[in-house]
Amino acid sequence: MLPEDQLIFLNDRIHSRTNQIRQIANLLDPEVPSPPVLVLHGLEATGKSLTSEAILASLQLLYAIVDSRECITARHLLERTVVDCKNAVDKTQIVDTHQIVDGRCENVSVLAVKLQQILAGQKKFVLVFDGIDQQREAPHTLLPAIARFGEIISCLTIVLVVTAPRPRFLHLAGVPHIHFTPYDRSESLDIVSQSPLSIFKVMLPGDDVSEQLVLERQEDDAWLWSRFCGAVWDSLGKGAARDIVSFRRICEMLWIPFVQPIRERSYGTREFSKLLVRHRSLLQGEKALVEWVVPIIPEDTRKKMLVLHELPYYTSFLLAAAYLASYNPSRQDQIFFMKAHEKKRRKRAGGTGKGRPSRHRKIQRRLLGPQAFVLERMLAIFHAILPFPIPGGVGDIMIQIATLASSRLIVRASVSGDILDAGTKWRVNVGWEYIKTVARTIRFDVENFLVE
């Protein structure tokens, strides 16, 4: 049993986990026998790993913690377990166990034998598997076999830290389980308020600032941060923050815009109500949540990202021809690119009435995505949109087409045949904003050649 002063210290260090600390400390007490296996379960970021490690250090037990996230395969996990147990025992023994046991471990049976050799003569040893339910390439017999190590080795206690255990996932009866419940509103605010962010910029050690001013700023930071976190929890955190880490991240993302009027000397540090009214849209919107999935790019940065290639003159016309070939139907080429074309159609039976209206809603071609086209069609459109004939030969055009393909501005849509064959199918790989900017550099009005 831990002394009362150590329990108070652990409760101050690990918030809202008083019952779990007492339960684990009683089960792992060095003076009483411990169960062969103990399961700590709960959602992510509920303090399972922190609590177990802090209690083991306070009890002054021999222990080893194996993090499954750092192990690629099941064999990696087993060999990591052997090495960590040897390192923990070597700290208290004169005899080096590296000379007795090597680090190779092929399966669970070999691990049991090597643990018996390493832990021979020990009074109590605790082996913690953190996140063992998320182990990659783990056989289905791994967890039940590890849970029985405590029955084979009398001085060994296995602690399994898992997220959501299945019923009877260890195939054992009477295994003690300790549940780490999710934090509620008061507990979350208590934890996040322990490390408040600064309202003003962080002061450097060389800044000439009085100690009284530093204390006043720290007091203002704690006062405003606690109330701000409560407002964020009521507006966004309760429904969007699945754990304490995501809740803290939401608060950090909204903190700078929230305190910007204080930095500009428009409001005081204690005028929280006025700041809350001014930033209603900040707390009512979902900008802080959407930015995680789709990063928001500023408008100036988006404009700079449009043109990434400095294309030659004829290569720009080739790219424009590829865009027109992808977004214009081939049956419309005669209308847009032939100089002598009769646009009027003969009417059947001399009628003058209008046809039936289409039942289908027309969608712009630009919204349907690029379509595949053959190379010879792109070349025909290229020669049609050129203001004057090209002086070079066909070989120069083919080199520029290969350059567009290597730059991924056009991509190949067919697998068979040569890439420069006339029947090879291609597809343009740029958007409307990009091609409009390229066409503007060569003074080509691409909108006049696109189908509505």
Side-chain angles (χ1 to χ4, degrees):
M1 183 68 182
L2 280 174
E4 194 65 27
D5 56 345
Q6 291 190 6
L7 287 176
I8 296 174
F9 172 75
L10 290 176
N11 291 330
D12 293 339
R13 180 184 175 188
I14 307 170
H15 298 273
S16 307
R17 288 293 176 253
T18 304
N19 296 332
Q20 289 83 356
I21 291 174
R22 289 185 178 275
Q23 292 173 4
I24 298 175
N26 291 333
L27 291 174
L28 300 181
D29 191 356
E31 303 300 331
V32 298
S34 299
V37 59
L38 174 64
V39 177
L40 309 180
H41 65 97
L43 299 179
E44 296 180 358
T46 51
K48 302 183 295 295
S49 304
L50 177 63
T51 304
S52 59
E53 185 176 1
I55 292 175
L56 291 174
S58 300
L59 291 174
Q60 298 180 357
L61 289 171
L62 285 178
Y63 67 93
I65 300 177
V66 182
D67 193 351
S68 297
R69 294 173 298 181
E70 300 176 357
C71 302
I72 302 174
T73 60
R75 178 168 180 175
H76 188 193
L77 174 71
L78 301 179
E79 294 182 351
R80 178 71 177 272
T81 303
V82 174
V83 174
D84 290 348
C85 291
K86 286 193 301 183
N87 294 336
V89 173
D90 288 342
K91 295 179 181 179
T92 59
Q93 288 185 353
I94 301 177
V95 180
D96 189 4
T97 56
H98 287 78
Q99 301 176 1
I100 304 175
V101 182
D102 58 356
R104 292 181 299 176
C105 187
E106 292 80 8
N107 49 51
V108 181
S109 301
V110 178
L111 177 63
V113 174
K114 293 193 174 186
L115 287 180
Q116 287 179 344
Q117 298 175 359
I118 295 172
L119 303 179
Q122 298 296 328
K123 184 178 179 181
K124 180 178 286 190
F125 189 89
V126 180
L127 180 57
V128 182
F129 290 95
D130 192 359
I132 188 66
D133 57 335
Q134 312 252 336
Q135 176 60 45
R136 294 182 289 267
E137 300 183 12
H140 63 279
T141 58
L142 178 64
L143 283 177
I146 290 178
R148 285 173 171 79
F149 281 177
E151 302 175 359
I152 302 173
I153 308 171
S154 59
C155 65
L156 179 63
T157 298
I158 301 294
V159 178
L160 302 177
V161 181
V162 297
T163 303
R166 303 185 306 273
R168 294 185 57 82
F169 74 111
L170 298 179
H171 301 285
L172 287 175
V175 177
H177 288 61
I178 298 178
H179 183 213
F180 283 73
T181 57
Y183 297 108
D184 56 12
R185 183 183 186 276
S186 60
E187 294 173 348
S188 300
L189 295 180
D190 185 24
I191 294 173
V192 176
S193 300
Q194 297 300 318
S195 54
L197 297 182
S198 178
I199 299 176
F200 302 96
K201 296 182 179 179
V202 180
M203 293 175 292
L204 299 177
D207 295 343
D208 188 10
V209 181
S210 62
E211 184 178 356
Q212 183 178 0
L213 180 59
V214 173
L215 294 177
E216 290 179 356
R217 287 191 175 183
Q218 291 178 355
E219 184 180 355
D220 293 338
D221 295 343
W223 186 89
L224 186 61
W225 173 257
S226 61
R227 285 157 178 77
F228 168 74
C229 292
V232 173
W233 176 271
D234 295 335
S235 58
L236 298 174
K238 183 179 179 180
R242 61 179 182 178
D243 51 34
I244 196 70
V245 177
S246 57
F247 174 55
R248 171 82 185 192
R249 185 176 180 182
I250 293 176
C251 294
E252 290 177 352
M253 293 178 63
L254 299 179
W255 176 250
I256 299 299
F258 187 81
V259 300
Q260 188 62 33
I262 301 179
R263 296 184 175 183
E264 296 174 355
R265 307 296 180 181
S266 300
Y267 292 92
T269 56
R270 300 287 176 144
E271 297 178 342
F272 174 74
S273 301
K274 295 182 179 179
L275 288 171
L276 194 61
V277 172
R278 176 170 179 175
H279 294 292
R280 287 194 306 267
S281 60
L282 185 66
L283 298 176
Q284 291 175 354
E286 298 180 354
K287 181 179 179 181
L289 307 177
V290 178
E291 192 173 358
W292 296 4
V293 183
V294 183
I296 298 177
I297 303 176
E299 189 67 25
D300 298 338
T301 308
R302 189 183 294 111
K303 292 180 180 179
K304 294 179 182 178
M305 292 171 60
L306 292 178
V307 180
L308 301 178
H309 305 84
E310 295 182 0
L311 300 178
Y313 183 74
Y314 291 108
T315 308
S316 301
F317 272 103
L318 279 172
L319 186 59
Y323 187 87
L324 294 174
S326 284
Y327 287 93
N328 278 354
S330 57
R331 65 177 182 272
Q332 302 288 339
D333 290 348
Q334 295 181 356
I335 299 177
F336 287 103
F337 306 114
M338 288 189 67
K339 297 180 180 179
H341 177 71
E342 185 180 359
K343 296 184 180 180
K344 296 182 181 180
R345 296 182 180 179
R346 295 181 180 180
K347 300 177 183 179
R348 294 182 180 180
T352 58
K354 296 183 180 181
R356 296 180 180 179
S358 177
R359 296 182 179 179
H360 301 285
R361 184 180 179 182
K362 293 184 179 180
I363 303 176
Q364 291 186 3
R365 299 280 299 183
R366 277 181 278 175
L367 302 179
L368 298 177
Q371 305 296 323
F373 59 87
V374 293
L375 182 62
E376 60 180 356
R377 180 173 172 235
M378 185 191 74
L379 291 175
I381 296 176
F382 167 70
H383 288 288
I385 63 177
L386 275 178
F388 47 84
I390 184 172
V394 181
D396 297 336
I397 299 299
M398 294 302 176
I399 293 175
Q400 296 183 38
I401 293 174
T403 303
L404 290 176
S406 62
S407 302
R408 302 290 297 174
L409 297 177
I410 59 174
V411 293
R412 192 176 177 185
S414 60
V415 180
S416 61
D418 188 11
I419 60 173
L420 297 180
D421 190 17
T424 305
K425 290 187 176 182
W426 295 86
R427 184 181 289 110
V428 73
N429 197 29
V430 296
W432 167 244
E433 296 294 334
Y434 187 98
I435 199 66
K436 188 169 64 173
T437 306
V438 171
R440 192 179 297 115
T441 60
I442 55 177
R443 297 182 179 180
F444 174 65
D445 193 0
V446 69
E447 295 183 3
N448 293 337
F449 295 91
L450 277 176
V451 178
E452 292 293 336

